[in-house]
Amino acid sequence: YSGVGLEITSENGLIRVITPMDGGPALRAGVEAGDVITAINGQSTAGLTVAEVSEQLRGAAGESGVVTLLRDGPGPRDG
């Protein structure tokens, strides 16, 4: 399996990106430190633990998915 290359934490019930890892898919997709992960493949992350979100972000190498992010500025965006 492979991940998207993110270090995440739970903050006030939100899953927040601490940092995208150098050279990882998340960094290449424009994910930034401080982004909030609100959904994975259309499924809300509300109420999920860091471990549960991490598991959902893993998949077979080369497999794609949609992660919806919220950051300061205009509404949510998919990455």
Side-chain angles (χ1 to χ4, degrees), residues 7-35:
E7 186 175 343
I8 59 175
T9 189
S10 179
E11 206 174 85
N12 298 321
L14 302 173
I15 301 297
R16 187 171 302 273
V17 175
I18 297 171
T19 187
M21 296 176 189
D22 288 342
L27 185 63
R28 290 191 301 272
V31 177
E32 298 177 5
D35 286 351

